[in-house]
Amino acid sequence: MKTADRLTKIPPYLFMELRKKIARARAEGVDVRTGAVRMFERGEPSTYGWFTQNGVPVVRFDSNRRGTVVSLFTRPPGAKDWTLYRKLRRDEMRRFSDLEIVGATTEPGILLASSQREGDDGHVLRRFDLNTLTLGDAVASRAGRDVVDVFQDDRGKLLAAIVDEDRRDYIFFEPALKASFEQLSAVFKHDVNLTFVDVSLDHQRFVLHTSSPTDPGSYWFYDAAGFLSLLGQAFPWLNGRLAPMSIMKLKTRDGLDL
């Protein structure tokens, strides 16, 4: 009996799960102009994700069956074999507890990682060298807060580090971008999570995403000259149906602020 024939004997729900696993185990490139797909890397059956630099897989994620422990494999540019860097646990929010790859730099083999700060459980942004498998000094940090992601342009230039606050905040590496963020925050009355989704190479035009307790998600086009236009809403049928929320600050009996 052929393999394809055997697959047809599998119950439909198991067959779909198998197809998902096979798809996750491959790294494929897609030409957005023609739709042509090319497979350029095949992982293991337990592989569920990849991270690339210049279109080449340099980090591979393999998971246990429950999805609670992930094996992080690395491969610097030019190398052939994968190396197990470490095993990481994931929390309920699917984030890694001590290290997460969040971006690539313009330097071959150098990535950006959100890693645990020494002395507490906060996260800072560090350079991660695939050749030596070492973490460098902090690129961006904020006391008492986590740096959880980065915002880069299509050339890989680091524009800002994303900080986990009550509302999304940034550590900017370009003064002009910081000025745009402050202007936009004022327009939205400092009442939304404002996310930079994409940016032109001259850093003058942006696609933004906003969300708040009363806004389940909206996309905007913004020009640094001051033009702002709504592109669309993620859930327009929820307009006017969501309740506002406010932050309450409480002090426990032992003096801890919540």
Side-chain angles (χ1 to χ4, degrees):
M1 187 181 294
K2 296 180 181 179
T3 301
D5 294 333
R6 286 202 301 268
L7 289 178
T8 60
K9 305 299 182 182
I10 299 175
Y13 68 93
L14 290 180
F15 180 64
M16 291 304 297
E17 286 302 311
L18 180 59
R19 289 190 62 182
K20 290 177 184 177
K21 289 183 179 180
I22 292 173
R24 288 195 296 264
R26 297 196 303 254
E28 298 176 335
V30 179
D31 189 323
V32 297
R33 296 177 179 83
T34 65
V37 178
R38 178 177 64 90
M39 187 187 75
F40 52 87
E41 188 78 30
R42 184 184 293 277
E44 301 295 328
S46 59
T47 300
Y48 81 95
W50 310 82
F51 197 94
T52 64
Q53 185 178 38
N54 296 324
V56 178
V58 292
V59 175
R60 194 185 85 209
F61 303 95
D62 291 7
S63 176
N64 64 348
R65 292 178 62 87
R66 293 170 55 197
T68 55
V69 178
V70 172
S71 298
L72 193 155
F73 292 86
T74 62
R75 186 178 65 185
K80 179 180 179 181
D81 298 324
W82 291 96
T83 299
L84 176 62
Y85 172 64
R86 63 193 299 184
K87 292 190 176 183
L88 304 167
R89 297 196 66 85
R90 290 198 293 194
D91 60 21
E92 290 83 359
M93 300 300 291
R94 316 305 291 172
R95 293 193 61 83
F96 298 126
S97 58
D98 54 352
L99 181 143
E100 183 159 0
I101 306 298
V102 294
T105 71
T106 56
E107 304 173 60
I110 305 297
L111 305 181
L112 295 170
S114 173
S115 69
Q116 243 176 340
R117 182 169 36 225
E118 295 180 5
D120 61 36
D121 59 356
H123 283 66
V124 300
L125 184 67
R126 301 183 191 275
R127 290 161 54 94
F128 179 45
D129 192 327
L130 292 172
N131 297 285
T132 62
L133 296 181
T134 56
L135 288 163
D137 295 334
V139 176
S141 65
R142 181 171 293 177
R145 298 295 181 182
D146 292 332
V147 179
V148 296
D149 209 341
V150 294
F151 177 54
Q152 299 173 278
D153 65 18
D154 284 346
R155 294 194 183 104
K157 182 177 181 180
L158 179 62
L159 304 179
I162 299 172
V163 180
D164 192 9
E165 297 266 7
D166 295 330
R167 286 188 294 271
R168 172 159 289 194
D169 201 5
Y170 295 84
I171 299 172
F172 290 100
F173 297 95
E174 282 206 357
L177 187 57
K178 180 179 180 180
S180 293
F181 177 74
E182 292 174 348
Q183 180 182 6
L184 286 164
S185 296
V187 169
F188 291 107
K189 301 180 180 179
H190 304 277
D191 196 35
V192 299
N193 273 316
L194 198 159
T195 303
F196 290 97
V197 177
D198 204 357
V199 59
S200 61
L201 290 178
D202 62 1
H203 305 162
Q204 295 298 304
R205 294 172 300 281
F206 304 86
V207 174
L208 310 171
H209 179 268
T210 59
S211 64
S212 73
T214 57
D215 175 11
S218 301
Y219 289 91
W220 304 79
F221 172 79
Y222 171 70
D223 188 292
F227 177 76
L228 181 67
S229 175
L230 178 67
L231 296 175
Q233 296 174 304
F235 306 98
W237 54 88
L238 292 178
N239 285 343
R241 304 180 65 180
L242 300 179
M245 299 174 66
S246 60
I247 297 174
M248 295 181 62
K249 296 184 179 181
L250 308 174
K251 188 177 289 290
T252 64
R253 285 181 295 179
D254 60 358
L256 180 66
D257 289 324
L258 300 178

